[in-house]
């Protein structure tokens, strides 16, 4: 019986990419932090900041008992405000802690007219809004009439919930984190174990080794993004209003930018502790500054040009625009340009300075 012909060996890049994927799949912790943790984080923050009707303004009337009773009767049953029962000595602490929003202090002038002082914290939105609501209710109760007829037409705009803002940010954090830790840490670990030196001595092309990390991360990219998109849709009704193809292309370019950063971070360090430190230096500022959990526009305006040049900021802005505004690929030109520059620059510097020993 003739021997079966031997299967020709696969391309080295395919074999190396497959090895990277097996390394990842054999680490339950890596699988959890890549797929499970972002979904759990989305669930926790989505529940904590779920859409709820606005809470009523909490007020407490202070001062002479008879005058306070008259004001309390006037405000009884008003919409949007709620009386809170607290002892007088606790008012200052309650106002400072946010347990009440407005302290109402009515007095009667000598001519018999009512004068009301409102105490509130101007740094809190509830305080600034609250005294207007309480005053409006009191003025109406004492006979004020409006000279202009007003009609309300409330409209809920799509994509304004916190969870609509959060899901794209979590995708950005997940893509950056998995790219950095899945690439930079493993490369430095191989260097520390002297595996890079041995691999460099084989007929393998060095470019194939580095590209295998890129290929493996890109293969996992679809699963990482799809997991959060599905979780957001099923659990919180988050809808991708733009094209899924556009979302995929933005995710692909963002992943390449973070992969370039990872290779640059891993190009020189010999110890995993040093590499972990450099990865934290790269990632932690972007966690805070790039609009993952809250808008980067909250920072001083002088910082905005710098923040917009960060790769995670560009990725979050582009992803959020696709999710909530249905943005097209053409309209995302500035964000894609930032990611492209980071990709080219980081890959060029990483390949130029990469150390195999």
């Amino acid at each position: 019986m003739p021997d079966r012909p031997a299967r020709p060996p696969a391309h080295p890049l395919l074999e190396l990419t497959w090895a990277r994927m097996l390394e990842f799949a054999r680490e339950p912790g890596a699988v959890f932090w890549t797929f499970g943790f972002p979904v759990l984080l989305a669930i926790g923050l989505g529940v904590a900041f779920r859409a709820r009707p606005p809470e009523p303004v909490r007020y407490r009337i202070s001062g002479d008992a008879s005058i306070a009773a008259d004001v309390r009767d006037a405000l009884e049953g008003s919409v949007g405000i709620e009386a809170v029962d607290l002892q007088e000595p606790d008012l200052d602490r309650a106002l400072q802690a946010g347990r009440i929003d407005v302290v109402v202090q009515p007095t009667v002038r000598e001519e018999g007219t009512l004068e009301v002082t409102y105490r509130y914290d101007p740094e809190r939105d509830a305080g600034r809004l609250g005294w207007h609501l309480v005053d409006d209710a009191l003025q109406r109760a004492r006979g004020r009439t409006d000279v202009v007829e007003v009609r309300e037409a409330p409209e809920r705009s799509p994509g304004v919930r916190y969870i609509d803002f959060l899901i794209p940010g979590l995708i950005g954090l997940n893509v950056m984190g998995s790219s950095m830790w899945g690439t930079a840490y493993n490369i430095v670990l191989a260097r520390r174990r002297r595996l890079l030196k041995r691999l460099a001595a084989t007929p393998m092309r060095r470019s194939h080794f580095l590209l295998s990390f890129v290929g493996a991360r890109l293969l996992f990219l679809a699963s990482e993004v799809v997991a959060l998109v599905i979780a957001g849709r099923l659990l919180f009704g988050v809808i991708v209003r733009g094209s899924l193809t556009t979302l995929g292309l933005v995710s692909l370019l963002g992943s390449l930018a973070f992969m370039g950063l990872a290779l640059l971070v891993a190009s020189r360090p010999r110890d995993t502790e040093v590499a972990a430190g450099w990865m934290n230096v790269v990632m932690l500022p972007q966690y805070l500054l790039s609009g993952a959990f809250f808008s980067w526009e909250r920072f001083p305006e002088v910082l905005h040009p710098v923040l917009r040049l960060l790769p995670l900021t560009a990725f979050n802005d582009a992803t959020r625009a696709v999710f909530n505004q249905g943005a097209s690929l053409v309209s995302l030109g500035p964000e894609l340009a930032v990611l492209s520059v980071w990709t080219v620059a980081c890959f060029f510097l990483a390949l130029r300075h990469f150390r195999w020993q």
Side-chain angles (χ1 to χ4, degrees), residues 74-139:
L75 294 176
E76 188 71 26
S78 299
V79 178
I81 60 176
E82 177 182 77
V84 178
D85 186 17
L86 286 173
Q87 299 299 319
E88 287 284 345
D90 297 330
L91 288 183
D92 290 338
R93 290 194 298 271
L95 189 63
Q96 182 180 15
R99 296 199 301 272
I100 58 175
D101 304 311
V102 181
V103 175
V104 183
Q105 294 180 328
T107 57
V108 177
R109 294 179 177 178
E110 293 182 358
E111 62 271 21
T113 59
L114 181 66
E115 180 181 75
V116 180
T117 300
Y118 297 102
R119 294 175 52 204
Y120 65 96
D121 184 353
E123 299 297 327
R124 298 181 60 243
D125 293 338
R128 294 199 306 270
L129 173 64
W131 84 267
H132 287 287
L133 293 178
V134 174
D135 184 68
D136 181 70
L138 181 59
Q139 300 288 359

Side-chain angles (χ1 to χ4, degrees), residues 272-284:
T272 53
E273 293 82 2
V274 175
W278 278 110
M279 283 189 287
N280 287 327
V281 167
V282 170
M283 292 191 297
L284 290 181

Side-chain angles (χ1 to χ4, degrees), residues 29-104:
V31 175
F32 168 77
W33 289 107
T34 300
F35 298 105
F37 179 72
V39 174
L40 294 179
L41 187 61
I43 293 173
L45 291 175
V47 171
F49 295 95
R50 64 192 181 278
R52 293 178 294 181
E55 296 183 358
V57 171
R58 297 159 296 183
Y59 70 92
R60 169 68 161 83
I61 304 175
S62 173
D64 183 86
S66 60
I67 303 176
D70 180 56
V71 173
R72 184 181 301 107
D73 292 339
L75 294 176
E76 188 71 26
S78 299
V79 178
I81 60 176
E82 177 182 77
V84 178
D85 186 17
L86 286 173
Q87 299 299 319
E88 287 284 345
D90 297 330
L91 288 183
D92 290 338
R93 290 194 298 271
L95 189 63
Q96 182 180 15
R99 296 199 301 272
I100 58 175
D101 304 311
V102 181
V103 175
V104 183

